[in-house]
Amino acid sequence: MEIREKISLDNVIARATELPVLPGTAQKVLAMMGDPDVSVEKIKRIISSDPSLAMKILKVANSAFYGGYRNIQNLNQAILRLGLNAVRNIVVATSMKNVYKRFGLTERLLMEQITGSALISSIISSEARIADPEDAFIGGLLHDIGKVVLNNEYPDEFARVMERVYNDSVPFTVAEIEVFAFSHRDLGAMIIKKWGFPESLELLLKYFDNNERLAKERVLHNLTVIIKLADIMCQKNGIGWRKSANADIDFGNLPELLRIDNDLMSVITKRMESALGQCIEFYC
């Protein structure tokens, strides 16, 4: 068996001269969200400067996912319906495609998976009432951002990892340590910090796979369990996954940790099915 030297985090940063940067409009919106006195009018002016993004906000505001029972035709009403946190999340979600250096099948699947995870996380949070749906959305959207950078900078090595995941059913966190001397969570936490998100989101990524550490942070623990359940629901339904849907995939004890019984899981699944097709098309 050929022995290869593992790629270090320093190697990745050096090769990616700069960690990914969000588009200008997204950066401005994120910066404004740090101001507790930010107004709807200020956010509207920034979004209005990007017609494509403004149209996307209107479409999402009128979607069934956000209770679009009455048609909205102007940006001000759309922002009021969605709320500022939801607008931030939609701006980041629609900007994510710009982070990729190429966009073939692998990138499309990554995009669908992280978008699906974000949407399902939001639905789980809303129905289980155990976390803020918008916090769950942004956590689901960004928890695998490190994978995007690994695929950008080391596509051959990333492909090797994915082959182990798909062909040998090896968990990604196990397969990646055969190639990289760090986890995609470590890299993701650095990106989150650079993008100016709250420290809580950076910690979510940093400790995502450290159950002992998360047990001390109830809010982060709940969000992590929600996102892990959303990831399995994506896999179970073939969202962002090369294999077809597989009803036999098990949720383990994740629903129990969130106090989700069979009836509530059925409600969550129905909401997911009605929302995903339309919403993923908005973001991808």
Side-chain angles (χ1 to χ4, degrees):
M1 180 177 176
E2 181 184 355
I3 298 177
R4 296 185 174 102
E5 183 179 352
K6 291 184 181 180
I7 297 168
S8 72
L9 187 55
D10 288 340
N11 290 148
V12 176
I13 295 171
R15 182 158 174 170
T17 37
E18 248 184 67
L19 292 176
V21 176
L22 287 173
T25 303
Q27 291 184 59
K28 289 176 183 176
V29 170
L30 284 176
M32 276 203 167
M33 289 299 181
D35 179 0
D37 298 320
V38 66
S39 67
V40 169
E41 182 60 32
K42 288 180 179 178
I43 296 295
K44 185 185 80 172
R45 279 203 299 269
I46 292 175
I47 294 173
S48 296
S49 67
D50 185 333
S52 175
L53 180 59
M55 185 61 66
K56 192 72 66 82
I57 296 286
L58 282 168
K59 284 184 177 180
V60 175
N62 282 303
S63 71
F65 188 77
Y66 281 99
Y69 56 88
R70 181 173 62 87
N71 190 47
I72 282 176
Q73 297 184 347
N74 69 68
L75 197 53
N76 196 69
Q77 290 178 344
I79 295 171
L80 288 173
R81 169 178 284 179
L82 294 168
L84 292 181
N85 283 340
V87 168
R88 174 204 64 184
N89 293 349
I90 294 164
V91 168
V92 175
T94 55
S95 300
M96 287 295 289
K97 192 171 181 179
N98 295 281
V99 174
Y100 295 85
K101 288 190 173 180
R102 62 194 73 81
F103 208 79
L105 175 61
T106 297
E107 292 75 25
R108 177 78 186 186
L109 290 172
L110 273 173
M111 187 77 179
E112 287 184 357
Q113 190 273 321
I114 62 177
T115 304
S117 180
L119 291 166
I120 297 172
S121 294
S122 177
I123 291 170
I124 293 170
S125 296
S126 174
E127 294 297 338
R129 299 181 181 181
I130 199 168
D132 186 300
E134 295 306 333
D135 287 346
F137 182 98
I138 201 70
L141 184 71
L142 296 174
H143 76 291
D144 276 340
I145 188 64
K147 290 182 180 179
V148 176
V149 179
L150 293 180
N151 179 60
N152 277 349
E153 304 305 327
Y154 292 92
D156 294 339
E157 289 81 1
F158 187 79
R160 285 209 328 262
V161 173
M162 296 311 294
E163 282 172 11
R164 290 279 283 143
V165 172
Y166 284 107
N167 298 339
D168 303 325
S169 298
V170 174
F172 188 94
T173 51
V174 174
E176 72 177 339
I177 65 173
E178 298 173 2
V179 178
F180 301 101
F182 59 94
S183 77
H184 68 287
R185 308 287 187 208
D186 296 327
L187 180 57
M190 292 178 62
I191 295 166
I192 292 303
K193 185 175 183 178
K194 173 175 180 174
W195 284 353
F197 282 98
E199 184 183 13
S200 57
L201 191 55
E202 180 188 348
L203 293 175
L204 175 73
L205 268 69
K206 188 174 182 180
Y207 299 117
F208 196 87
D209 301 306
N210 187 335
N211 292 329
E212 185 177 339
R213 176 63 176 78
L214 284 172
K216 302 174 184 177
E217 304 278 352
R218 178 52 51 184
V219 173
L220 291 182
H221 174 268
N222 289 342
L223 282 174
T224 301
V225 176
I226 287 167
I227 296 165
K228 286 179 177 178
L229 178 56
D231 280 346
I232 295 176
M233 292 182 75
C234 283
Q235 183 179 349
K236 191 179 182 73
N237 290 276
I239 299 164
W241 195 251
R242 288 179 187 150
K243 296 182 179 180
S244 57
N246 185 350
D248 295 328
I249 292 173
D250 185 58
F251 294 136
N253 70 336
L254 297 177
E256 181 182 346
L257 289 173
L258 297 171
R259 298 180 182 177
I260 295 174
D261 59 20
N262 290 336
D263 289 340
L264 184 52
M265 181 56 74
S266 178
V267 171
I268 290 169
T269 300
K270 286 178 181 176
R271 273 199 66 190
M272 175 198 74
E273 291 170 349
S274 66
L276 277 177
Q278 183 184 25
C279 288
I280 284 185
E281 194 61 33
F282 285 156
Y283 299 122
C284 293

